[in-house]
Amino acid sequence: MEAKIIDLKKIADPRGNLTTVEGLHDVPFAVSRVYWTYDVPAGESRGGHAHRQCKEFIVAAGGSFCVTLDDGTEKQTFLLNHPYQGLYVGPYIWRTLTDFSSGAVCLVLASDAFDEDDYIREYDDFKKEVLKRGSHV
């Protein structure tokens, strides 16, 4: 599965900590888009899709949440709760975000601009595409 936790540089300062991310240095792609979700109601989930090409780096900028990844063969769940860590997610990995704490902010750095055709939004379609590809990424 093309996914891993990446620790970012944390600059400790008594006035408040600082973490930076540079594309092609801290994350394995150039960043083309940044977005964030917040005010997720209790019990709701986000994600529920995969990308054909886009790579993402998911950070709990505030609070915490879980990310479950599925490559069609295996599933892994990651707890994101440090703003100096992020989860790299490659293409053809189904992602579901759950268990948002109150006030959680999910920050996502993406390799590509938004393209609806890059999304696989139905799990059955995802499984078919993964099988057709003949290997799991």
Side-chain angles (χ1 to χ4, degrees), residues 1-81:
M1 182 179 306
E2 189 180 356
K4 65 180 176 179
I5 293 286
I6 296 175
D7 290 317
L8 301 169
K9 184 175 181 181
K10 177 181 174 183
I11 301 167
D13 187 307
R15 301 169 298 162
N17 299 328
L18 174 74
T19 295
T20 63
V21 178
E22 294 181 17
L24 298 174
H25 177 64
D26 299 305
V27 295
F29 57 84
V31 177
S32 293
R33 178 171 53 123
V34 177
Y35 64 92
W36 52 97
T37 58
Y38 52 94
D39 294 339
V40 178
E44 288 296 323
S45 65
R46 298 289 308 198
H49 64 269
H51 291 283
R52 292 179 176 93
Q53 293 184 24
C54 188
K55 302 171 186 91
E56 293 186 330
F57 187 68
I58 304 170
V59 178
S64 65
F65 51 89
C66 291
V67 181
T68 300
L69 302 179
D70 177 347
D71 68 0
T73 301
E74 69 174 296
K75 291 183 182 182
Q76 287 183 277
T77 299
F78 299 85
L79 171 64
L80 297 183
N81 60 354

Side-chain angles (χ1 to χ4, degrees), residues 94-136:
W94 190 267
R95 79 277 331 266
T96 306
L97 287 68
T98 59
D99 300 325
F100 286 85
S101 68
S102 177
V105 177
C106 173
L107 174 70
V108 181
L109 310 178
S111 65
D112 300 326
F114 177 81
D115 178 3
E116 183 60 37
D117 292 337
D118 185 55
Y119 283 75
I120 307 169
R121 296 195 183 273
E122 297 296 329
Y123 187 76
D124 288 342
D125 294 340
F126 165 73
K127 291 286 282 187
K128 288 175 191 172
E129 285 197 39
V130 167
L131 281 173
K132 189 186 331 183
R133 292 180 76 232
S135 66
H136 302 285

